[in-house]
Short mmCIF file of all heavy atoms in Angstrom, two decimals:
data_model
loop_
_atom_site.label_atom_id
_atom_site.label_comp_id
_atom_site.label_asym_id
_atom_site.label_seq_id
_atom_site.Cartn_x
_atom_site.Cartn_y
_atom_site.Cartn_z
N MET A 1 191.56 26.16 98.90
CA MET A 1 190.95 26.95 99.90
C MET A 1 189.57 27.26 99.49
O MET A 1 189.34 27.76 98.29
CB MET A 1 191.80 28.28 100.14
CG MET A 1 191.40 28.94 101.55
SD MET A 1 192.26 30.46 101.77
CE MET A 1 191.45 31.48 100.54
N SER A 2 188.63 27.14 100.41
CA SER A 2 187.22 27.50 100.13
C SER A 2 186.84 28.87 100.46
O SER A 2 187.42 29.47 101.40
CB SER A 2 186.32 26.43 100.82
OG SER A 2 186.60 25.17 100.47
N ASP A 3 185.82 29.37 99.87
CA ASP A 3 185.33 30.77 99.98
C ASP A 3 183.85 30.67 100.21
O ASP A 3 183.17 30.05 99.54
CB ASP A 3 185.53 31.50 98.74
CG ASP A 3 186.58 32.56 98.88
OD1 ASP A 3 186.91 33.01 100.08
OD2 ASP A 3 187.09 33.11 97.95
N GLU A 4 183.35 31.37 101.27
CA GLU A 4 181.90 31.37 101.44
C GLU A 4 181.38 32.72 101.02
O GLU A 4 181.86 33.79 101.28
CB GLU A 4 181.65 31.16 102.92
CG GLU A 4 180.01 31.02 103.10
CD GLU A 4 179.67 30.82 104.48
OE1 GLU A 4 179.65 31.73 105.25
OE2 GLU A 4 179.56 29.58 104.80
N VAL A 5 180.48 32.73 100.11
CA VAL A 5 179.80 33.91 99.51
C VAL A 5 178.23 33.92 99.81
O VAL A 5 177.66 32.83 99.69
CB VAL A 5 179.96 34.01 98.02
CG1 VAL A 5 179.74 35.38 97.51
CG2 VAL A 5 181.41 33.67 97.70
N THR A 6 177.75 35.12 100.07
CA THR A 6 176.23 35.18 100.22
C THR A 6 175.61 35.81 99.03
O THR A 6 176.09 36.98 98.67
CB THR A 6 176.03 35.95 101.58
OG1 THR A 6 176.54 35.24 102.69
CG2 THR A 6 174.46 35.99 101.66
N LEU A 7 174.67 35.14 98.45
CA LEU A 7 173.94 35.92 97.36
C LEU A 7 172.62 36.17 97.73
O LEU A 7 171.95 35.50 98.59
CB LEU A 7 173.86 34.98 96.16
CG LEU A 7 175.16 34.56 95.50
CD1 LEU A 7 174.93 33.46 94.34
CD2 LEU A 7 175.79 35.74 94.84
N ASN A 8 171.99 37.22 97.15
CA ASN A 8 170.55 37.50 97.29
C ASN A 8 169.80 36.70 96.13
O ASN A 8 170.35 36.79 94.99
CB ASN A 8 170.26 38.95 97.02
CG ASN A 8 170.86 39.78 98.19
OD1 ASN A 8 170.86 39.39 99.36
ND2 ASN A 8 171.39 41.04 97.77
N ILE A 9 168.74 36.07 96.51
CA ILE A 9 168.10 35.18 95.52
C ILE A 9 166.52 35.69 95.47
O ILE A 9 165.91 35.70 96.52
CB ILE A 9 168.02 33.73 95.96
CG1 ILE A 9 169.41 33.19 96.34
CG2 ILE A 9 167.52 32.98 94.73
CD1 ILE A 9 170.29 32.95 95.22
N GLU A 10 166.07 36.09 94.29
CA GLU A 10 164.65 36.45 94.12
C GLU A 10 163.90 35.27 93.62
O GLU A 10 164.40 34.33 93.00
CB GLU A 10 164.50 37.62 93.11
CG GLU A 10 165.20 38.87 93.59
CD GLU A 10 165.23 39.82 92.49
OE1 GLU A 10 164.10 40.26 91.94
OE2 GLU A 10 166.28 40.28 92.04
N GLY A 11 162.60 35.31 93.95
CA GLY A 11 161.80 34.31 93.24
C GLY A 11 161.38 33.12 93.94
O GLY A 11 160.71 32.14 93.48
N MET A 12 162.00 32.89 95.22
CA MET A 12 161.73 31.68 95.88
C MET A 12 160.46 31.86 96.78
O MET A 12 160.35 32.82 97.70
CB MET A 12 162.76 31.37 96.93
CG MET A 12 164.18 30.97 96.15
SD MET A 12 165.40 30.46 97.39
CE MET A 12 165.59 31.93 98.36
N THR A 13 159.49 31.03 96.58
CA THR A 13 158.26 31.24 97.29
C THR A 13 157.73 30.02 98.12
O THR A 13 156.89 30.13 98.85
CB THR A 13 156.97 31.50 96.35
OG1 THR A 13 156.94 30.55 95.36
CG2 THR A 13 157.30 32.85 95.66
N CYS A 14 158.45 28.84 97.89
CA CYS A 14 158.15 27.66 98.74
C CYS A 14 159.37 26.85 99.01
O CYS A 14 160.46 27.10 98.52
CB CYS A 14 157.04 26.92 98.10
SG CYS A 14 157.61 25.78 96.88
N ALA A 15 159.08 25.78 99.92
CA ALA A 15 160.30 24.97 100.26
C ALA A 15 160.89 24.26 99.00
O ALA A 15 162.12 23.94 99.02
CB ALA A 15 159.82 24.01 101.38
N SER A 16 160.13 23.92 98.09
CA SER A 16 160.58 23.28 96.82
C SER A 16 161.46 24.16 96.00
O SER A 16 162.37 23.65 95.43
CB SER A 16 159.34 22.75 96.01
OG SER A 16 158.67 21.88 96.74
N CYS A 17 161.18 25.43 96.07
CA CYS A 17 162.07 26.37 95.47
C CYS A 17 163.46 26.48 96.06
O CYS A 17 164.48 26.50 95.45
CB CYS A 17 161.54 27.86 95.60
SG CYS A 17 160.05 28.18 94.64
N VAL A 18 163.49 26.23 97.36
CA VAL A 18 164.72 26.15 98.05
C VAL A 18 165.51 24.90 97.56
O VAL A 18 166.75 24.99 97.29
CB VAL A 18 164.53 26.06 99.54
CG1 VAL A 18 165.73 25.85 100.40
CG2 VAL A 18 163.80 27.38 100.18
N SER A 19 164.83 23.84 97.55
CA SER A 19 165.51 22.60 96.99
C SER A 19 166.02 22.78 95.61
O SER A 19 167.15 22.38 95.23
CB SER A 19 164.53 21.44 96.94
OG SER A 19 164.14 21.12 98.32
N ARG A 20 165.17 23.43 94.75
CA ARG A 20 165.57 23.73 93.42
C ARG A 20 166.88 24.62 93.31
O ARG A 20 167.80 24.33 92.52
CB ARG A 20 164.48 24.33 92.62
CG ARG A 20 163.22 23.49 92.41
CD ARG A 20 162.19 24.08 91.57
NE ARG A 20 162.67 24.61 90.27
CZ ARG A 20 162.25 25.55 89.58
NH1 ARG A 20 161.14 26.22 89.98
NH2 ARG A 20 162.76 25.84 88.42
N VAL A 21 166.89 25.65 94.13
CA VAL A 21 168.05 26.53 94.11
C VAL A 21 169.23 25.80 94.57
O VAL A 21 170.32 26.00 94.12
CB VAL A 21 167.76 27.80 94.97
CG1 VAL A 21 169.02 28.42 95.31
CG2 VAL A 21 166.65 28.66 94.37
N GLU A 22 168.98 24.91 95.63
CA GLU A 22 170.20 24.25 96.14
C GLU A 22 170.82 23.33 95.11
O GLU A 22 172.00 23.09 94.94
CB GLU A 22 169.90 23.56 97.48
CG GLU A 22 169.73 24.57 98.57
CD GLU A 22 169.30 23.90 99.80
OE1 GLU A 22 168.71 22.75 99.90
OE2 GLU A 22 169.38 24.59 100.93
N LYS A 23 169.86 22.61 94.27
CA LYS A 23 170.25 21.70 93.36
C LYS A 23 170.93 22.34 92.28
O LYS A 23 172.02 21.99 91.63
CB LYS A 23 169.11 20.93 92.89
CG LYS A 23 169.44 19.71 91.99
CD LYS A 23 168.19 18.80 91.74
CE LYS A 23 167.72 18.08 93.02
NZ LYS A 23 166.59 17.19 92.65
N ILE A 24 170.33 23.54 91.62
CA ILE A 24 170.91 24.14 90.49
C ILE A 24 172.28 24.82 90.93
O ILE A 24 173.22 24.59 90.19
CB ILE A 24 169.96 25.36 90.17
CG1 ILE A 24 168.67 24.77 89.63
CG2 ILE A 24 170.59 26.33 89.13
CD1 ILE A 24 167.47 25.74 89.61
N ALA A 25 172.32 25.39 92.07
CA ALA A 25 173.64 25.95 92.37
C ALA A 25 174.67 24.93 92.63
O ALA A 25 175.90 25.14 92.37
CB ALA A 25 173.51 26.84 93.67
N GLY A 26 174.23 23.82 93.22
CA GLY A 26 175.27 22.76 93.65
C GLY A 26 175.76 22.04 92.39
O GLY A 26 176.77 21.34 92.58
N ARG A 27 175.23 22.17 91.29
CA ARG A 27 175.67 21.51 90.07
C ARG A 27 176.80 22.39 89.43
O ARG A 27 177.51 21.85 88.54
CB ARG A 27 174.58 21.37 88.98
CG ARG A 27 173.76 20.20 89.27
CD ARG A 27 172.98 19.79 87.91
NE ARG A 27 171.97 20.80 87.51
CZ ARG A 27 170.68 20.65 87.77
NH1 ARG A 27 170.21 19.69 88.17
NH2 ARG A 27 169.96 21.68 87.34
N VAL A 28 176.98 23.58 89.84
CA VAL A 28 177.88 24.49 89.21
C VAL A 28 179.37 24.14 89.59
O VAL A 28 179.63 23.82 90.84
CB VAL A 28 177.65 25.92 89.52
CG1 VAL A 28 178.71 26.83 88.89
CG2 VAL A 28 176.27 26.30 88.88
N ASN A 29 180.24 24.10 88.62
CA ASN A 29 181.57 23.76 88.86
C ASN A 29 182.26 24.55 90.09
O ASN A 29 182.09 25.78 90.01
CB ASN A 29 182.45 24.03 87.58
CG ASN A 29 183.96 23.66 87.82
OD1 ASN A 29 184.17 22.49 88.10
ND2 ASN A 29 184.79 24.51 87.37
N GLY A 30 182.87 23.88 90.91
CA GLY A 30 183.48 24.65 92.05
C GLY A 30 182.58 24.77 93.26
O GLY A 30 183.11 25.09 94.36
N VAL A 31 181.29 24.56 93.16
CA VAL A 31 180.44 24.70 94.31
C VAL A 31 180.47 23.50 95.23
O VAL A 31 180.29 22.36 94.72
CB VAL A 31 179.04 25.02 93.83
CG1 VAL A 31 178.00 24.99 95.13
CG2 VAL A 31 178.90 26.27 93.22
N GLU A 32 180.82 23.73 96.54
CA GLU A 32 180.86 22.57 97.52
C GLU A 32 179.66 22.42 98.34
O GLU A 32 179.35 21.26 98.76
CB GLU A 32 182.16 22.75 98.36
CG GLU A 32 183.40 22.75 97.64
CD GLU A 32 184.56 22.79 98.57
OE1 GLU A 32 184.57 23.61 99.52
OE2 GLU A 32 185.57 22.20 98.31
N ALA A 33 179.08 23.63 98.59
CA ALA A 33 177.91 23.42 99.46
C ALA A 33 177.03 24.61 99.28
O ALA A 33 177.48 25.72 98.88
CB ALA A 33 178.31 23.33 100.92
N VAL A 34 175.62 24.47 99.39
CA VAL A 34 174.76 25.69 99.27
C VAL A 34 173.75 25.52 100.35
O VAL A 34 173.20 24.53 100.72
CB VAL A 34 173.96 25.58 97.97
CG1 VAL A 34 173.11 26.81 97.75
CG2 VAL A 34 174.81 25.40 96.83
N SER A 35 173.50 26.69 101.03
CA SER A 35 172.56 26.77 102.20
C SER A 35 171.68 27.89 101.89
O SER A 35 172.12 29.09 101.93
CB SER A 35 173.41 26.97 103.48
OG SER A 35 172.53 27.17 104.55
N VAL A 36 170.45 27.64 101.66
CA VAL A 36 169.41 28.76 101.31
C VAL A 36 168.56 29.11 102.54
O VAL A 36 168.15 28.15 103.26
CB VAL A 36 168.53 28.30 100.22
CG1 VAL A 36 167.37 29.18 99.90
CG2 VAL A 36 169.37 28.03 98.95
N ASN A 37 168.36 30.34 102.65
CA ASN A 37 167.48 30.77 103.75
C ASN A 37 166.22 31.47 103.00
O ASN A 37 166.41 32.55 102.41
CB ASN A 37 168.18 31.88 104.70
CG ASN A 37 167.24 32.16 105.82
OD1 ASN A 37 166.13 32.46 105.64
ND2 ASN A 37 167.86 32.28 106.99
N LEU A 38 165.13 30.81 103.12
CA LEU A 38 164.00 31.28 102.31
C LEU A 38 163.49 32.58 102.87
O LEU A 38 163.08 33.64 102.15
CB LEU A 38 162.83 30.19 102.39
CG LEU A 38 161.51 30.52 101.79
CD1 LEU A 38 161.75 30.87 100.26
CD2 LEU A 38 160.52 29.44 101.96
N ALA A 39 163.51 32.75 104.22
CA ALA A 39 162.87 33.90 104.81
C ALA A 39 163.80 35.16 104.48
O ALA A 39 163.12 36.23 104.27
CB ALA A 39 162.90 33.76 106.37
N THR A 40 165.15 35.07 104.44
CA THR A 40 165.92 36.23 104.07
C THR A 40 166.22 36.38 102.61
O THR A 40 166.93 37.38 102.16
CB THR A 40 167.31 36.20 104.94
OG1 THR A 40 167.93 35.07 104.54
CG2 THR A 40 167.01 36.17 106.34
N GLU A 41 165.75 35.38 101.89
CA GLU A 41 166.03 35.37 100.47
C GLU A 41 167.55 35.33 100.09
O GLU A 41 168.04 36.14 99.18
CB GLU A 41 165.33 36.38 99.58
CG GLU A 41 163.78 36.22 99.78
CD GLU A 41 162.98 37.19 98.99
OE1 GLU A 41 162.87 38.37 99.27
OE2 GLU A 41 162.54 36.83 97.82
N LYS A 42 168.31 34.69 100.83
CA LYS A 42 169.77 34.63 100.78
C LYS A 42 170.24 33.14 100.52
O LYS A 42 169.56 32.29 101.08
CB LYS A 42 170.48 35.21 101.71
CG LYS A 42 170.28 36.76 101.82
CD LYS A 42 170.99 37.40 102.95
CE LYS A 42 170.66 38.97 103.17
NZ LYS A 42 170.80 39.79 101.89
N ALA A 43 171.37 32.97 99.89
CA ALA A 43 171.95 31.65 99.77
C ALA A 43 173.44 31.86 100.14
O ALA A 43 174.19 32.77 99.58
CB ALA A 43 171.84 31.08 98.41
N LYS A 44 173.89 30.96 101.11
CA LYS A 44 175.39 30.88 101.26
C LYS A 44 175.93 29.91 100.43
O LYS A 44 175.51 28.73 100.39
CB LYS A 44 175.67 30.60 102.77
CG LYS A 44 175.49 31.80 103.69
CD LYS A 44 176.16 31.38 105.05
CE LYS A 44 175.10 31.33 106.11
NZ LYS A 44 175.58 31.02 107.44
N VAL A 45 176.95 30.26 99.66
CA VAL A 45 177.54 29.26 98.80
C VAL A 45 179.00 29.09 99.10
O VAL A 45 179.77 30.08 99.28
CB VAL A 45 177.36 29.85 97.25
CG1 VAL A 45 178.03 28.94 96.32
CG2 VAL A 45 176.01 30.14 96.97
N LEU A 46 179.44 27.89 99.31
CA LEU A 46 180.72 27.52 99.53
C LEU A 46 181.41 27.12 98.27
O LEU A 46 181.05 26.11 97.60
CB LEU A 46 180.81 26.42 100.61
CG LEU A 46 182.21 26.16 101.27
CD1 LEU A 46 182.60 27.32 102.08
CD2 LEU A 46 182.16 24.96 102.11
N MET A 47 182.48 27.82 97.85
CA MET A 47 183.12 27.51 96.62
C MET A 47 184.66 27.25 96.75
O MET A 47 185.29 27.80 97.60
CB MET A 47 183.01 28.57 95.69
CG MET A 47 181.55 29.07 95.42
SD MET A 47 181.46 30.10 93.91
CE MET A 47 181.80 29.02 92.63
N ASP A 48 185.16 26.33 95.98
CA ASP A 48 186.54 26.04 95.88
C ASP A 48 186.85 26.04 94.38
O ASP A 48 186.65 25.05 93.77
CB ASP A 48 186.92 24.63 96.48
CG ASP A 48 188.37 24.43 96.62
OD1 ASP A 48 189.12 25.26 96.14
OD2 ASP A 48 188.80 23.40 97.12
N GLY A 49 187.37 27.18 93.98
CA GLY A 49 187.55 27.34 92.60
C GLY A 49 186.22 27.75 91.92
O GLY A 49 185.23 27.86 92.54
N GLY A 50 186.09 27.59 90.57
CA GLY A 50 184.87 27.90 89.89
C GLY A 50 184.67 29.37 89.88
O GLY A 50 185.40 30.22 90.45
N ARG A 51 183.55 29.84 89.29
CA ARG A 51 183.19 31.23 89.15
C ARG A 51 181.90 31.53 89.79
O ARG A 51 180.86 30.89 89.42
CB ARG A 51 183.20 31.64 87.72
CG ARG A 51 184.42 31.41 86.92
CD ARG A 51 184.31 31.59 85.45
NE ARG A 51 185.51 31.26 84.70
CZ ARG A 51 186.38 32.20 84.32
NH1 ARG A 51 186.19 33.42 84.62
NH2 ARG A 51 187.38 31.89 83.76
N LEU A 52 181.84 32.45 90.62
CA LEU A 52 180.56 32.95 91.21
C LEU A 52 179.55 33.37 90.24
O LEU A 52 178.42 33.13 90.34
CB LEU A 52 180.87 34.06 92.29
CG LEU A 52 179.62 34.52 92.98
CD1 LEU A 52 179.03 33.33 93.84
CD2 LEU A 52 179.94 35.74 93.97
N ASP A 53 180.04 34.03 89.14
CA ASP A 53 179.15 34.52 88.12
C ASP A 53 178.44 33.34 87.44
O ASP A 53 177.39 33.52 86.93
CB ASP A 53 179.99 35.31 87.01
CG ASP A 53 180.35 36.73 87.52
OD1 ASP A 53 179.72 37.13 88.49
OD2 ASP A 53 181.16 37.43 86.88
N ASP A 54 179.13 32.11 87.39
CA ASP A 54 178.43 30.96 86.82
C ASP A 54 177.23 30.58 87.71
O ASP A 54 176.24 30.00 87.22
CB ASP A 54 179.38 29.81 86.60
CG ASP A 54 180.31 30.07 85.48
OD1 ASP A 54 180.15 31.03 84.70
OD2 ASP A 54 181.46 29.27 85.46
N VAL A 55 177.45 30.67 89.07
CA VAL A 55 176.24 30.38 89.90
C VAL A 55 175.09 31.37 89.74
O VAL A 55 174.02 30.93 89.61
CB VAL A 55 176.80 30.49 91.45
CG1 VAL A 55 175.68 30.07 92.30
CG2 VAL A 55 177.96 29.47 91.64
N ILE A 56 175.53 32.67 89.63
CA ILE A 56 174.49 33.66 89.49
C ILE A 56 173.72 33.46 88.10
O ILE A 56 172.51 33.55 88.10
CB ILE A 56 175.21 35.07 89.57
CG1 ILE A 56 175.69 35.40 90.88
CG2 ILE A 56 174.28 36.16 89.03
CD1 ILE A 56 176.53 36.65 91.02
N GLU A 57 174.52 33.10 87.09
CA GLU A 57 173.87 32.90 85.75
C GLU A 57 173.03 31.70 85.73
O GLU A 57 171.84 31.76 85.28
CB GLU A 57 174.97 32.77 84.73
CG GLU A 57 174.48 32.61 83.33
CD GLU A 57 175.58 32.52 82.31
OE1 GLU A 57 176.50 33.45 82.27
OE2 GLU A 57 175.54 31.50 81.53
N ALA A 58 173.35 30.60 86.36
CA ALA A 58 172.61 29.35 86.47
C ALA A 58 171.23 29.64 87.19
O ALA A 58 170.19 29.19 86.79
CB ALA A 58 173.40 28.20 87.03
N LEU A 59 171.35 30.38 88.36
CA LEU A 59 170.17 30.59 89.13
C LEU A 59 169.25 31.53 88.38
O LEU A 59 167.91 31.33 88.34
CB LEU A 59 170.48 31.14 90.45
CG LEU A 59 171.27 30.17 91.42
CD1 LEU A 59 171.75 30.88 92.56
CD2 LEU A 59 170.12 29.01 91.88
N THR A 60 169.77 32.63 87.70
CA THR A 60 169.02 33.58 87.01
C THR A 60 168.31 32.86 85.89
O THR A 60 167.12 33.21 85.70
CB THR A 60 169.81 34.73 86.69
OG1 THR A 60 170.50 35.29 87.94
CG2 THR A 60 169.07 35.86 86.02
N ASN A 61 169.00 32.15 85.19
CA ASN A 61 168.41 31.45 83.97
C ASN A 61 167.27 30.48 84.33
O ASN A 61 166.39 30.20 83.61
CB ASN A 61 169.56 30.66 83.18
CG ASN A 61 170.39 31.63 82.54
OD1 ASN A 61 170.13 32.74 82.25
ND2 ASN A 61 171.57 31.01 82.04
N ALA A 62 167.38 30.02 85.65
CA ALA A 62 166.32 29.03 86.10
C ALA A 62 165.12 29.82 86.72
O ALA A 62 164.25 29.15 87.28
CB ALA A 62 166.93 28.05 87.07
N GLY A 63 165.14 31.05 86.75
CA GLY A 63 164.04 31.83 87.17
C GLY A 63 164.24 32.25 88.68
O GLY A 63 163.21 32.70 89.32
N PHE A 64 165.46 32.22 89.13
CA PHE A 64 165.66 32.73 90.45
C PHE A 64 166.79 33.85 90.25
O PHE A 64 168.02 33.54 90.56
CB PHE A 64 166.24 31.62 91.39
CG PHE A 64 165.13 30.54 91.58
CD1 PHE A 64 165.31 29.30 90.88
CD2 PHE A 64 163.97 30.77 92.29
CE1 PHE A 64 164.31 28.34 91.02
CE2 PHE A 64 163.10 29.79 92.55
CZ PHE A 64 163.17 28.50 91.86
N PRO A 65 166.40 34.99 90.08
CA PRO A 65 167.56 36.11 89.78
C PRO A 65 168.35 36.19 90.97
O PRO A 65 167.80 36.48 92.12
CB PRO A 65 166.62 37.34 89.61
CG PRO A 65 165.38 36.80 89.01
CD PRO A 65 165.07 35.55 89.74
N ALA A 66 169.62 35.98 90.84
CA ALA A 66 170.61 36.12 91.93
C ALA A 66 171.46 37.27 91.65
O ALA A 66 171.82 37.70 90.64
CB ALA A 66 171.41 34.77 91.87
N SER A 67 171.94 37.77 92.82
CA SER A 67 172.95 38.91 92.71
C SER A 67 173.77 39.02 93.98
O SER A 67 173.42 38.47 95.05
CB SER A 67 172.12 40.26 92.58
OG SER A 67 171.21 40.43 93.72
N LYS A 68 174.83 39.62 93.82
CA LYS A 68 175.78 39.88 94.90
C LYS A 68 175.02 40.88 95.82
O LYS A 68 174.56 41.84 95.28
CB LYS A 68 177.15 40.29 94.54
CG LYS A 68 177.94 39.25 93.79
CD LYS A 68 179.10 39.77 93.03
CE LYS A 68 179.46 38.87 91.85
NZ LYS A 68 180.51 39.41 91.00
N PRO A 69 175.15 40.78 97.07
CA PRO A 69 174.67 41.89 97.94
C PRO A 69 175.37 43.18 97.63
O PRO A 69 176.50 43.32 97.37
CB PRO A 69 174.99 41.40 99.36
CG PRO A 69 175.31 39.89 99.29
CD PRO A 69 175.85 39.76 97.83
N ALA A 70 174.49 44.25 97.74
CA ALA A 70 174.98 45.52 97.47
C ALA A 70 175.98 45.98 98.50
O ALA A 70 175.97 45.50 99.54
CB ALA A 70 173.84 46.61 97.43
MO1 9UX B 1 157.08 26.06 94.89
MO2 9UX B 1 159.00 27.23 93.50
O1 9UX B 1 155.35 25.19 94.38
O2 9UX B 1 159.85 27.44 91.88
S1 9UX B 1 158.75 25.08 93.75
S2 9UX B 1 156.90 27.94 93.91
#
């Protein structure tokens, strides 16, 4: 069963950043799809298994600090 989670993403300033975030998150185990909204600085992540914390860590390490919405 898949789960959709929304993350806040800091540090995206252009469309290429969006591509980078989608690629970085998409490589994490369990991630099935990533949809980034630059204007709202959010990413919808569809996961089937895997760990959301791994997605957050991968993005944050790549210069896009990610967090669960408050
Ligand atoms: Mo755009 Mo983002 O030139 O890391 S790719 S600022």
Side-chain angles (χ1 to χ4, degrees):
M1 195 184 69
S2 300
D3 248 341
E4 189 178 83
V5 192
T6 300
L7 293 177
N8 295 322
I9 314 282
E10 296 172 58
M12 297 187 295
T13 56
C14 81
S16 297
C17 293
V18 172
S19 298
R20 292 180 58 204
V21 164
E22 288 175 343
K23 192 171 290 182
I24 292 158
R27 278 199 294 256
V28 177
N29 186 48
V31 173
E32 295 186 320
V34 186
S35 173
V36 171
N37 186 317
L38 178 58
T40 60
E41 297 188 281
K42 290 180 191 305
K44 276 194 248 179
V45 182
L46 191 66
M47 301 194 73
D48 186 358
R51 297 167 185 269
L52 183 62
D53 283 346
D54 288 346
V55 179
I56 291 172
E57 186 179 304
L59 290 171
T60 301
N61 287 344
F64 300 104
S67 58
K68 297 166 199 173

